[in-house]
Amino acid sequence: MAIAPEQTRIDETDIDRYDPVYRAWLREAVRKVQADGNRSADTHLLTIPLPPEWGIDVYLKDESTHPTGSLKHRLARSLFLYALCNGRLRPGAPVIEASSGSTAVSEAYFAKLIGVPFIAVMARTTVQSKVDLIEFHGGRCHLVDDPSEVYEVAARLAEELGGHYMDQFTYAERATDWRGNNNIAESIFRQLEQERFPEPTWIVATAGTGGTSATLARYVHYTQRATGICVADPENSAFFEGWRTMDRNIRSDKGSRIEGIGRQRVEPSFLPQAIDRMMRVPDAASVATIRTLQRLLGRRCGASTGTGVWAAFRIVSEMLARGEQGSVVTLLCDPGERYLDKYYSDAWLAEQGIDPTPYARRLEQFLETGELA
Ligand SMILES: *Cc1c(COP(=O)(O)O)cnc(C)c1O
């Protein structure tokens, strides 16, 4: 049967949604976010002074010097670029995020930079200084009593307000350029180039979204390095059990006390197969370690830095016991000044039943003998 001539035209539908006003806004927003990156300097790779005769160098990638004071500045920049380039942000439409605080501080900064409203959904236990910083950058805070509810509340708010739920816990791993583009891994390896052990034996990360450990692991594999990737996990976190059993459905019934890390669920951005080793670190050990670091570095660090450094020191003591030399890298995630009422307050520690004294003693012994038993 012959096809009627008009039938050949049926599928030639054309819907043109090109919006020159939106596209001009988008170009300008992307330029502003990129320009922030272009104005920024690289972060320092500090050394932790240890007895030179050990033959082991420990480095701290100092992520506290970003304009918004934590490693979340990198993540927020990546998330904004990812959302913008995917066409998910619109002029005037709010950005909403579920956060333990640091990401929201950095996202509030980028939201203000491109001129969109920002709302952070956070646990009520988040330190006041982070709430103040979010508000300083023009953001608003929506506090919830149950920390496991932040995701749902953020998604609902976005729906109600016609905004975009940024969802760092899902998108952190894919918004970051893992092959390079001066990501945290590429920066660390470039800064190690002239060191006596330029390929670290281990890099120790901690996990909140899991994005940083994913980027480090992927980069190490992609560039064919032998470096092991270790994740140090605090109490009340689902990551350790999720990794040990490779079961993504593991849940923890309590929230983490170490701000920025340790989640009640195995976040989608945490990639367990890419991680070589995990270590559970008691919260009291994390707190003891930041007090020791204050003496060694002359500055205060957030508690998650203590979690990572404790694990790094454990690895150093194992290397010493085996007579190995080499280097270990971990991260200074954010400054301790944000937590003066928490990890640096004896009253808060007592109230939480956290006693750093036995771990402080073990750290003393480590610095003298190299043994962290
Ligand atoms: C987010 C965060 C981490 C962990 O980084 P992720 O890439 O999200 O896993 C560690 N410390 C602090 C203070 C953080 O805010």
Side-chain angles (χ1 to χ4, degrees):
M1 204 180 75
I3 296 167
E6 60 273 22
Q7 278 187 359
T8 61
R9 307 182 67 90
I10 274 173
D11 290 322
E12 291 188 17
T13 317
D14 176 3
I15 302 174
D16 180 355
R17 285 182 176 153
Y18 188 94
D19 175 350
V21 176
Y22 160 65
R23 289 293 297 272
W25 176 85
L26 177 61
R27 288 197 299 278
E28 188 57 9
V30 171
R31 183 191 67 74
K32 285 173 179 163
V33 177
Q34 299 268 46
D36 174 84
N38 194 54
R39 286 194 305 273
S40 293
D42 208 346
T43 60
H44 300 292
L45 190 62
L46 307 175
T47 54
I48 300 184
L50 292 174
E53 64 275 15
W54 289 6
I56 299 177
D57 299 325
V58 177
Y59 299 91
L60 263 185
K61 180 67 168 159
D62 182 4
E63 294 291 292
S64 71
T65 61
H66 288 291
T68 56
S70 83
L71 80 174
K72 292 305 188 321
H73 197 80
R74 290 180 194 272
L75 174 61
R77 187 191 289 137
S78 298
L79 287 167
F80 268 83
L81 272 179
Y82 188 74
L84 283 165
C85 295
N86 284 323
R88 291 181 187 149
L89 303 191
R90 300 283 148 164
V95 167
I96 293 110
E97 183 65 292
S99 174
S100 74
S102 299
T103 303
V105 172
S106 302
E107 286 177 340
Y109 168 93
F110 282 102
K112 186 178 184 183
L113 191 71
I114 68 166
V116 295
F118 178 76
I119 303 167
V121 180
M122 303 190 295
R124 204 170 294 283
T125 52
T126 310
V127 286
Q128 183 61 35
S129 63
K130 286 188 188 169
V131 172
D132 294 343
L133 280 169
I134 291 162
E135 289 173 353
F136 170 78
H137 290 301
R140 274 169 38 210
C141 299
H142 184 102
L143 303 177
V144 297
D145 291 318
D146 179 353
S148 68
E149 276 180 2
V150 289
Y151 317 95
E152 235 176 277
V153 174
R156 203 184 57 230
L157 268 179
E159 178 98 26
E160 283 168 12
L161 302 172
H164 175 64
Y165 171 27
M166 200 65 113
D167 195 359
Q168 56 167 330
F169 295 105
T170 300
Y171 295 106
E173 57 92 357
R174 69 194 86 155
T176 305
D177 290 323
W178 56 274
R179 292 182 189 86
N181 202 5
N182 199 33
N183 67 27
I184 190 167
E186 186 176 49
S187 168
I188 288 170
F189 279 99
R190 210 182 35 244
Q191 289 175 321
L192 286 170
E193 271 168 12
Q194 298 187 28
E195 299 303 300
R196 55 177 177 166
F197 307 113
E199 182 169 291
T201 309
W202 286 93
I203 299 179
V204 180
T206 47
T209 63
T212 302
S213 57
T215 300
L216 290 166
R218 286 166 163 167
Y219 187 83
V220 157
H221 302 155
Y222 183 65
T223 57
Q224 305 136 58
R225 271 133 167 150
T227 305
I229 303 296
C230 174
V231 170
D233 209 30
E235 292 171 29
N236 304 318
S237 174
F239 288 130
F240 184 92
E241 270 307 290
W243 178 83
R244 191 181 69 79
T245 60
M246 290 288 155
D247 177 359
R248 284 209 160 268
N249 300 312
I250 298 286
R251 293 278 182 280
S252 156
D253 52 6
K254 275 195 279 175
S256 167
R257 293 185 294 192
I258 308 297
E259 279 197 38
I261 63 169
R263 304 294 305 173
Q264 288 179 264
R265 58 176 208 185
V266 183
E267 299 295 351
S269 277
F270 177 70
L271 306 184
Q273 286 99 333
I275 307 304
D276 298 295
R277 176 176 184 174
M278 281 197 71
M279 237 190 255
R280 235 202 170 139
V281 177
D283 293 350
S286 301
V287 172
T289 306
I290 58 173
R291 294 183 169 199
T292 299
L293 273 179
Q294 188 175 353
R295 221 183 55 228
L296 292 174
L297 301 174
R299 56 194 282 185
R300 291 190 175 100
C301 307
S304 72
T305 301
T307 313
V309 171
W310 175 269
F313 284 173
R314 288 264 312 265
I315 287 174
V316 169
S317 78
E318 292 169 5
M319 289 169 70
L320 281 170
R322 285 196 298 262
E324 277 174 37
Q325 298 205 324
S327 60
V328 178
V329 178
T330 186
L331 314 174
L332 199 174
C333 304
D334 69 350
E337 281 68 25
R338 288 184 175 178
Y339 309 102
L340 297 181
D341 300 337
K342 230 170 164 172
Y343 312 116
Y344 291 94
S345 152
D346 290 333
W348 185 85
L349 292 176
E351 187 190 301
Q352 292 290 320
I354 295 176
D355 179 13
T357 327
Y359 297 98
R361 223 172 282 131
R362 284 167 67 182
L363 284 165
E364 287 310 311
Q365 198 194 7
F366 166 71
L367 294 171
E368 273 168 35
T369 66
E371 278 173 46
L372 189 55

